[in-house]
Amino acid sequence: MYMSQLYSPTLRETPADAEIVSHKLMLRAGLMRRSAAGVYAFLPLGLRVIRKVEQIIREEMNAIGGQEVLLPIVQPAELWEESGRWADYGDEMFRLRDRQGRQFCLGPTHEEIITALVRSEVRSYRQMPLRLYQIQNKYRDEMRPRFGLMRGREFIMKDMYSFDSDNEGLDESYWAAYKAYARIFARCGVEAHPVEADSGAIGGDVTHEFMVLADSGEDLVLFCPQCEYAANVERAEGVRIPRGGDEQPHLGELAKVATPGARTIEQISEFLNVKPEDCIKTLLYVADGQVIAALVRGDHNINEIKLRKLLGCETLELADDETIFKATGAPVGFAGPVALSLPLYADYAIEHMVNAVVGANELDQHMVNANLDRDFKVKEFADLREVQPGDLCPRCEGRLEGARGIEVGQVFKLGTKYSEAMGATFLDENGKEKPVIMGCYGIGVGRTAAAVIEKNHDEDGIIWPVSVAPYHVIVVPVSMKDEAQAKASQNLYEELKAAGVEVVLDDRNERPGVKFKDADLIGFPIRVTIGAKSLEQGAMEIIIRRTKEKLVVPIEDVASTVKNLLKDGEIR
Ligand code: ATP
Ligand code: MG
């Protein structure tokens, strides 16, 4: 490819709406352009990267027996009604009607489509295991599309679905995909850590997310430095600590105190000169229409996913001001468990609290010395809090550490949620009809490419790992006007091309500084510079993008040196 012909308009200035480095660099390096919020057009260099990531994924999916299919983007509402998700999916789903008024959506995911496909063909245990995957656009009307390809509304996903006749089969499919994911991300040049995760709306219980650790990540991951434990904060388990010592604590007298204007835990603990961990936060929720209260320690935050699971409810929302007033008799900020006639659900950390500060269900009033059982009764204790860095590891004695992560992939054991709802059954060895057992496995292709940039860049631009670089090498003559340089560059370009190296020749009549800047910005792993002086000495310069190392190599050895450098897919 000649640089003069390549449609890759680079930008010197950083576009104003780009917040994180991968987004900025993808725009600046001319990999893509924005069409609408969360919707992007790929330009030739960007598309080459995407195709390379896809190809790595494809190879690894094929290696575990995956068969590639291509499912429709336009999906009929009826299938989603069968699974119950037409109503559940909410505003994230792009919905449309055809000319007859029939309802469709643009696929945000493909469990329904694939289950419908398989139910009419798979009838016997002999037809399984079956692993089908596709690489295709997904559509989700995200509340906050941002960070370029990280959170798009139209984005490319690889999604695989496995079908097995028993749980052992599902186990095999799951761990095969899990291991393939580790290989995929490693081959793309990023380390992705598997962490225990929440399965969200998709269903099932066992699931792992693959996280690339980066400050720009939207997820919080907790991991134990002493054991293998790692989990998304959505999932991370709080430890139930047994009461220490036999001594009966001294229970103070329950008393009301005036706390004018103090509503938040910070304000109250400052006002009463107590620690946040001596206060109880009382949060009112509406769960499937019923008002309930959840209690967590003042220095803790509630994890709504855990609360929702405990209650087994479909909808869960923080109560609004009016509901709070009706239920407590006080405005927001003064709710407390004493004499509150609502079902109370409390986090384990509340179990051993003594003489707590709580809201008094009265404007500008709190209570001190509130004690469990004596002053209020809890309907159920559970792990309800959001685990924080510094908390105990649920598996060992260690203390958890926190890091931000980019979720590049997720694997789920779905079980029979979709097959049961949609009637995808088979006959087992004994002729007994059973629902097929499913798993699903997604990778964000664009998000992975963006994560690669987050982990591979410097102040000059992208540093592509060879495996996903749009081209391997750029040949840069210092001056195209110098005939010797032009000729030597052309020769090297031809030679590299013939040797199967993906190469660009920067044949533009630009100043060398401009060409070098573009080469660094786009991030070609190798640059070969051809200048008058080195040519006279029969040499060219090979510059390695990652290390900026410069090798002066005799002209006749340049192509073979380049090939050798690229050989391992990684430049050392
Ligand atoms: P998130 O929690 O980030 O919204 P998700 O858990 O809803 O993602 P999945 O349904 O697990 O996403 O989709 C599989 C993969 O697709 C994710 O691991 C991620 O890499 C990618 N992905 C999901 N949503 C987006 C998006 N809006 N833009 C780009 N990639 C996405
Ligand atoms: Mg996910």
Side-chain angles (χ1 to χ4, degrees):
M1 173 54 68
Y2 293 104
M3 198 68 168
S4 61
Q5 291 164 18
L6 179 66
Y7 188 62
S8 178
T10 54
L11 307 172
R12 290 282 161 261
E13 303 296 321
T14 299
D17 63 329
E19 291 166 74
I20 62 169
V21 75
S22 56
H23 187 192
K24 291 177 187 169
L25 288 174
M26 280 185 159
L27 293 170
R28 284 191 53 209
L31 303 187
M32 64 176 198
R33 288 292 181 261
R34 177 184 180 277
S35 297
V39 181
Y40 289 87
F42 289 109
L43 303 185
L45 288 178
L47 185 60
R48 287 179 72 95
V49 173
I50 293 296
R51 291 287 183 253
K52 289 199 175 182
V53 174
E54 289 177 352
Q55 189 51 28
I56 290 172
I57 295 173
R58 187 172 278 122
E59 285 167 20
E60 296 296 341
M61 289 296 105
N62 292 346
I64 58 165
Q67 301 178 55
E68 189 166 359
V69 294
L70 190 58
L71 304 171
I73 289 172
V74 176
Q75 306 186 6
E78 295 85 67
L79 289 180
W80 289 79
E81 268 152 13
E82 283 187 50
S83 72
R85 287 207 294 181
W86 185 256
D88 289 356
Y89 218 95
D91 291 340
E92 234 179 59
M93 185 181 260
F94 278 105
R95 295 165 207 256
L96 61 154
R97 283 179 193 277
D98 69 6
R99 62 176 77 207
Q100 268 93 36
R102 285 192 209 99
Q103 294 203 81
F104 293 84
C105 68
L106 301 180
T109 177
H110 281 71
E111 284 79 17
E112 281 76 2
I113 288 277
I114 198 112
T115 307
L117 184 74
V118 161
R119 71 176 162 193
S120 46
E121 316 288 344
V122 171
R123 308 231 176 263
S124 155
Y125 69 95
R126 287 195 200 86
Q127 290 166 281
M128 291 178 282
L130 180 62
R131 295 168 189 164
L132 301 175
Y133 75 95
Q134 62 166 347
I135 301 175
Q136 194 205 42
N137 284 358
K138 293 278 184 280
Y139 295 83
R140 294 183 186 176
D141 196 358
E142 297 273 358
M143 185 137 63
R144 290 180 66 197
R146 58 178 187 162
F147 298 166
L149 299 190
M150 288 285 185
R151 187 165 297 284
R153 296 196 296 166
E154 173 182 87
F155 60 97
I156 305 171
M157 195 201 285
K158 182 287 299 182
D159 43 329
M160 182 169 88
Y161 304 87
S162 65
F163 303 89
D164 284 280
S165 54
D166 54 25
N167 281 319
E168 292 70 55
L170 171 62
D171 233 34
E172 263 177 49
S173 294
Y174 186 83
W175 294 108
Y178 181 103
K179 286 182 203 152
Y181 274 31
R183 288 193 296 272
I184 288 166
F185 297 118
R187 283 183 64 186
C188 290
V190 284
E191 202 181 337
H193 303 265
V195 309
E196 293 179 17
D198 178 70
S199 56
I202 213 158
D205 45 8
V206 177
T207 173
H208 287 87
E209 289 168 339
F210 286 76
M211 292 284 185
V212 173
L213 302 186
D215 290 340
S216 58
E218 293 185 274
D219 285 273
L220 178 61
V221 178
L222 291 140
F223 60 93
C224 177
Q226 286 182 37
C227 73
E228 301 271 272
Y229 185 75
N232 192 315
V233 68
E234 294 177 352
R235 166 79 183 209
E237 296 161 45
V239 176
R240 186 179 195 176
I241 301 163
R243 183 196 290 273
D246 301 330
E247 235 174 274
Q248 275 301 319
H250 170 74
L251 305 188
E253 197 179 323
L254 182 69
K256 218 193 274 180
V257 290
T259 53
R263 289 164 193 268
T264 65
I265 293 290
E266 289 75 54
Q267 291 164 345
I268 291 151
S269 51
E270 204 181 297
F271 190 86
L272 296 177
N273 196 20
V274 294
K275 288 187 272 181
E277 54 262 48
D278 294 328
C279 304
I280 293 177
K281 260 189 230 175
T282 305
L283 300 156
L284 268 63
Y285 281 92
V286 183
D288 289 346
Q290 202 209 344
V291 184
I292 62 108
L295 309 182
V296 290
R297 216 168 70 183
D299 58 327
H300 289 157
N301 288 321
I302 188 134
N303 178 328
E304 291 183 359
I305 296 171
K306 292 179 179 176
L307 180 61
R308 185 188 292 262
K309 273 198 190 134
L310 176 71
L311 300 172
C313 59
E314 303 250 302
T315 62
L316 181 74
E317 270 168 39
L318 263 176
D320 58 22
D321 296 7
E322 203 189 319
T323 312
I324 291 173
F325 194 85
K326 257 201 192 141
T328 68
V332 182
F334 302 98
V338 179
L340 185 64
S341 52
L342 291 176
L344 301 185
Y345 297 90
D347 178 62
Y348 286 137
I350 303 287
E351 274 179 309
H352 310 311
M353 282 181 77
V354 176
N355 299 330
V357 173
V358 300
N361 300 318
E362 212 181 305
L363 175 68
D364 288 344
Q365 300 284 331
H366 278 77
M367 285 178 154
V368 295
N369 298 327
N371 285 291
L372 183 66
D373 295 332
R374 187 191 72 181
D375 305 320
F376 62 96
K377 298 235 178 326
V378 162
K379 180 164 179 194
E380 196 171 344
F381 282 100
D383 171 21
L384 289 180
R385 75 168 194 270
E386 197 167 80
V387 171
Q388 300 166 350
D391 282 356
L392 275 175
C393 171
R395 303 278 183 276
C396 77
E397 309 282 276
R399 294 262 165 203
L400 298 175
E401 291 178 10
R404 307 230 46 104
I406 301 167
E407 180 204 320
V408 285
Q410 187 164 11
V411 291
F412 300 85
K413 285 190 179 178
L414 291 174
T416 55
K417 169 171 171 167
Y418 296 92
S419 51
E420 268 178 51
M422 298 180 67
T425 58
F426 69 99
L427 298 179
D428 73 2
E429 290 98 321
N430 307 313
K432 196 168 166 241
E433 188 173 1
K434 289 181 173 165
V436 299
I437 301 177
M438 293 172 57
C440 77
Y441 316 88
I443 292 182
V445 174
R447 193 183 279 185
T448 299
V452 170
I453 297 177
E454 290 291 321
K455 301 298 272 186
N456 296 275
H457 68 270
D458 62 14
E459 62 284 0
D460 297 321
I462 305 169
I463 306 172
W464 287 115
V466 172
S467 58
V468 294
Y471 287 91
H472 301 142
V473 179
I474 183 159
V475 175
V476 185
V478 169
S479 166
M480 271 308 277
K481 293 194 182 117
D482 176 326
E483 226 169 88
Q485 286 182 47
K487 192 151 170 272
S489 323
Q490 184 69 33
N491 287 345
L492 177 65
Y493 172 68
E494 300 293 349
E495 194 181 351
L496 287 171
K497 237 173 42 164
V501 174
E502 297 175 26
V503 55
V504 172
L505 172 59
D506 196 344
D507 58 337
R508 296 175 300 170
N509 275 321
E510 289 282 2
R511 281 176 293 118
V514 171
K515 299 201 222 181
F516 295 159
K517 271 211 160 68
D518 279 344
D520 282 350
L521 176 60
I522 295 169
F524 301 93
I526 295 177
R527 182 177 100 208
V528 183
T529 305
I530 297 169
K533 238 177 40 224
S534 55
L535 265 192
E536 270 167 31
Q537 290 159 6
M540 294 176 178
E541 280 174 7
I542 296 177
I543 292 107
I544 293 166
R545 174 69 183 86
R546 190 178 295 277
T547 57
K548 309 223 152 140
E549 207 180 328
K550 194 194 285 179
L551 314 170
V552 180
V553 178
I555 294 172
E556 60 276 16
D557 296 341
V558 170
S560 59
T561 308
V562 165
K563 276 213 81 168
N564 264 327
L565 285 168
L566 293 169
K567 202 173 58 198
D568 300 329
E570 195 181 324
I571 297 172
R572 276 178 257 271

